[in-house]
Amino acid sequence: AVLAVVLFVGANSVYIVAQPEQAIVLQFGEPMRLVKEPGLKFKVPFIQNVVIYDTRLLNLDPPAQEIVLNDKKRLDVDSFTRYKIVDPLRFYKTVRTEEQARGKLAEIVNSSVRKILGRITLPELLSQKRTQIMSDISSAVKSDAAQIGVSVADVRIRRADLPLQVLQAINARMKTERERDAKEFRAQGQQQAQQIRAKAEKERIERNAKRAERSITDYLVLLSLEMPIHVAEDVKPLLIELKRIGNNLNQITAKINAGAFRSYNFEDM
């Protein structure tokens, strides 16, 4: 039993600090000393306890937040932060645990991003000023993070997108504009097609008229010469009618020459 008590007391009298760690020895909740060297360490059992913090670079990836820019444009901004605990005593006094520190640091980052981006416009964010904007955000975050014993190594904006509702509205507007343009193009195409058809019909009629004119002229010449005639099918009805009229005129002329018609003296009437 005595050995068990000795082992229990001994186990509560030592602690180990690993290479990437730092420790604060607390006595009744108050910091007594800071331990940064790795190895086996001793403390007063049951009276003192140890809080260990990481000395490595840690990552903070808070949820994306909606930012309103100076030109009233809205963006969903996703940021990323790398930080390190450099003042364990201040860190313990302000945030106590690393979990609470991540929540506090996320508030600092989001506040700084919202404040800096709220002063600029979207064209400025997309321009060469982006580097200066990120530098301003990083400086603001570092200044506030130092108050909780944290050194911020880097702050980056990984993504800045338009909100889903805005994207849907933009897509709907673009779709409407494309449909309107398509209707205009179709209307212009139909108008041009009608013009082309009308021009082609006009040229066809003119060609047929000229061909008919030539056929009639050739017919009259050949008719006077009593030669065989070969004409187009679409001109034949007109030529037949002309031939009929010519025959009637010949008959009338023959009758007049034969004295079949009586001459009248209009003075006797």
Side-chain angles (χ1 to χ4, degrees), residues 173-217:
R173 184 171 68 251
M174 293 176 61
K175 181 179 179 181
T176 302
E177 292 176 354
R178 288 195 299 267
E179 291 176 349
R180 184 179 66 249
D181 293 341
K183 290 180 180 179
E184 291 179 358
F185 292 149
R186 283 195 295 268
Q188 293 175 0
Q190 292 174 356
Q191 182 180 5
Q192 292 176 358
Q194 291 176 355
Q195 293 174 352
I196 293 173
R197 286 194 294 267
K199 182 178 180 181
E201 181 66 17
K202 179 181 178 182
E203 292 176 352
R204 186 186 67 81
I205 293 174
E206 291 177 351
R207 287 195 302 270
N208 290 340
K210 290 179 180 179
R211 185 173 59 182
E213 182 180 357
R214 289 195 300 269
S215 298
I216 293 172
T217 302

Side-chain angles (χ1 to χ4, degrees), residues 39-55:
L40 182 65
K41 308 295 178 181
F42 296 92
K43 64 180 182 66
V44 178
F46 309 114
I47 297 178
Q48 295 180 337
N49 61 306
V50 178
V51 177
I52 296 177
Y53 297 127
D54 206 320
T55 60

Side-chain angles (χ1 to χ4, degrees), residues 69 71 73 120-130:
L69 303 181
D71 54 0
K73 297 292 192 303
I120 65 172
T121 62
L122 182 58
E124 291 175 338
L125 181 60
L126 301 177
S127 67
Q128 296 180 351
K129 293 183 178 180
R130 182 183 179 91

